[in-house]
Amino acid sequence: VQLQASGGGLVQPGGSLRLSCAASGFTLDYRGIGWFRQAPGKEREGVLCIGSNDGNTYNIDSVKGRFTISRDISKNTVYLQMNNLKPEDTAVYYCAASGSPFVQYCAVVPGGYDYWGQGTQVTVSS
């Protein structure tokens, strides 16, 4: 059972990145999937999540309208599309999946997730 996060990198302010979270050993079809981030010197914070209804639940107002989670069942992968990136979005981003195989409405709290990816660095800088 493994989650593999990828897609991070260096991008200029206003740019876009798409992070991927691929699962092996279990399916992501109807699980709650969350993205969290941790900036240097700060605690890990929840960003947003997706439930089985594929609705996005946001924990940070500043990413609304810029970040979106989507799910590709055929690839067993969840994506975090990040647009109009800002320097304050710089952090290590982690994906996480619920232990329950069915979560209709997700919550962006670490305790709701049992499987974690290794993190991918996103740096927004000119």
Side-chain angles (χ1 to χ4, degrees):
V1 174
Q2 188 176 10
L3 281 177
Q4 182 74 35
S6 62
L10 173 64
V11 62
Q12 292 186 342
S16 298
L17 280 176
R18 189 178 76 162
L19 306 184
S20 299
C21 180
S24 58
F26 67 111
T27 62
L28 299 179
D29 295 13
Y30 302 107
R31 294 181 191 267
I33 308 297
W35 283 94
F36 296 77
R37 68 186 184 186
Q38 187 166 18
K42 295 186 178 180
E43 294 186 352
R44 187 175 300 188
E45 63 179 352
V47 182
L48 74 168
C49 66
I50 187 171
S52 64
N53 62 354
D54 283 349
N56 284 201
T57 298
Y58 293 87
N59 190 51
I60 301 176
D61 287 342
S62 66
V63 307
K64 290 180 181 179
R66 299 190 298 121
F67 290 13
T68 305
I69 292 182
S70 61
R71 192 194 309 257
D72 187 335
I73 294 176
S74 67
K75 296 182 179 180
N76 206 25
T77 299
V78 170
Y79 302 100
L80 176 61
Q81 179 66 45
M82 304 186 295
N83 299 325
N84 190 22
L85 282 160
K86 303 177 180 182
E88 52 264 40
D89 295 319
T90 294
V92 177
Y93 282 73
Y94 300 87
C95 63
S98 65
S100 171
F102 184 87
V103 174
Q104 184 173 9
Y105 300 107
C106 63
V108 198
V109 292
Y113 302 89
D114 294 286
Y115 306 113
W116 290 80
Q118 83 286 5
T120 184
Q121 176 71 48
V122 172
T123 303
V124 185
S125 175
S126 56

